[in-house]
Amino acid sequence: MHMSESSWGFAHFLVQVDTVGLCVLAILTAMSLLSWYLIVSRLWRYIATRMRSRVFVTDFRRVRQPVDAELLRIATGGNNPFARLLGEGLQACQSLREAGDGVNARKTDGLGFELASPDDYVSAALAHGVTRETRHMERGMTPLASIASTAPFVGLFGTVWGIFHALQSIALSAQASLDKVAGPVGEALIMTAYGLFVSIPALLAYNAFTRQNRNLTVDLERFAHAVFGLLGLGLAPGEPQIVELPATATQRTDAAKVKVEGAR
């Protein structure tokens, strides 16, 4: 007697699956829920951050004095990475002003080290701010990468275990017809399909977020150049200056030194 086609399927698989299979399904379900939570939360946070950053950068391009930049930062309350990066530069300048003669006194006493140029301190503070914001943007990426890489193997393990369990049941029943073998094996492949269903969205989201983070890091580096030009050289930030300035912290420092030496 042949078993009808409707007797096999996902419902029959859930009824027949053992404890190990249920554990695999529970793990894959937890992975799926976690990945979608990370995807939705990060997407929402990215959209909100991008909108606030766009408004802030537009307002910053109208700034002409460091005092106006400080007022703009206070007005935003550091609600975006560009405002926090500007705060790093302003804090570095404030620290240099507060140090004053204390730096020379420590040099006389043989304490501390000689600072070649105050520009180096501000440039280092901005580079640190870019690094900190980059690290902040990468939060939650590791679980996505882990889910994308491990979910197919978890599903494959469930498939292997399901096939083993099905073949063992067939051997005990002494019935090795095609319908007795193909049905359980086909049901076991559901685990592999479920693993891919969990893995593919996580992988696509990880790649998309990685690209977004990389683009945002480039924008932060360009913005750091504009902040350095405003605080150190008195250059009003503008669209051409933000785009044309070099991209690395070392180039920022070298470009500032050339301009200062030329002014002398």
Side-chain angles (χ1 to χ4, degrees):
M1 179 179 181
H2 295 281
M3 188 171 290
S4 64
E5 294 180 359
S6 61
S7 60
W8 299 109
F10 187 72
H12 183 267
F13 169 74
L14 291 178
V15 174
Q16 297 297 323
V17 70
D18 59 353
T19 303
V20 176
L22 289 176
C23 291
V24 173
L25 287 175
I27 292 173
L28 289 176
T29 302
M31 285 183 172
S32 180
L33 293 176
L34 177 59
S35 65
W36 280 108
Y37 168 76
L38 293 173
I39 292 171
V40 173
S41 62
R42 285 188 61 87
L43 184 60
W44 175 261
R45 184 174 60 184
Y46 175 80
I47 294 174
T49 300
R50 202 66 180 177
M51 294 177 60
R52 291 193 296 262
S53 299
R54 186 174 302 171
V55 174
F56 178 83
V57 172
T58 301
D59 294 337
F60 178 77
R61 288 170 182 161
R62 304 189 184 100
V63 169
R64 295 295 178 265
Q65 299 294 331
V67 176
D68 299 330
E70 174 65 18
L71 294 177
L72 177 61
R73 187 197 65 82
I74 294 174
T76 58
N79 62 355
N80 64 86
F82 294 89
R84 291 190 290 269
L85 183 60
L86 176 60
E88 289 282 349
L90 294 171
Q91 181 62 38
C93 293
Q94 181 66 25
S95 300
L96 288 174
R97 286 194 297 268
E98 292 177 353
D101 297 334
V103 175
N104 296 328
R106 287 193 296 271
K107 291 179 182 178
T108 304
D109 297 337
L111 301 176
F113 60 91
E114 183 178 356
L115 187 64
S117 171
D119 297 341
D120 297 333
Y121 183 78
V122 178
S123 178
L126 291 174
H128 170 71
V130 172
T131 302
R132 187 183 63 179
E133 293 300 328
T134 301
R135 186 170 61 248
H136 178 73
M137 291 184 295
E138 291 176 352
R139 292 179 181 176
M141 298 291 288
T142 301
L144 272 180
S146 300
I147 291 172
S149 60
T150 59
F153 296 101
V154 175
L156 182 61
F157 170 77
T159 296
V160 172
W161 181 263
I163 292 175
F164 167 76
H165 186 69
L167 293 178
Q168 190 179 37
S169 300
I170 293 171
L172 293 177
S173 63
Q175 296 178 355
S177 60
L178 182 60
D179 59 340
K180 296 295 184 180
V181 176
V185 171
E187 287 182 344
L189 292 176
I190 293 176
M191 291 288 195
T192 300
Y194 193 20
L196 294 175
F197 173 79
V198 174
S199 174
I200 291 175
L203 179 60
L204 295 176
Y206 176 81
N207 292 334
F209 290 144
T210 299
R211 181 179 180 182
Q212 291 174 354
N213 292 343
R214 184 168 58 248
N215 293 336
L216 187 55
T217 299
V218 172
D219 293 339
L220 286 172
E221 289 178 349
R222 292 176 177 173
F223 183 77
H225 289 295
V227 173
F228 186 84
L230 175 66
L231 301 180
L233 304 177
L235 299 176
E239 182 69 25
Q241 295 176 358
I242 293 179
V243 173
E244 293 176 0
L245 283 171
T248 62
T250 303
Q251 291 172 332
R252 287 199 304 270
T253 305
D254 294 341
K257 288 182 179 179
V258 170
K259 293 180 180 180
V260 171
E261 291 177 358
R264 294 177 181 174

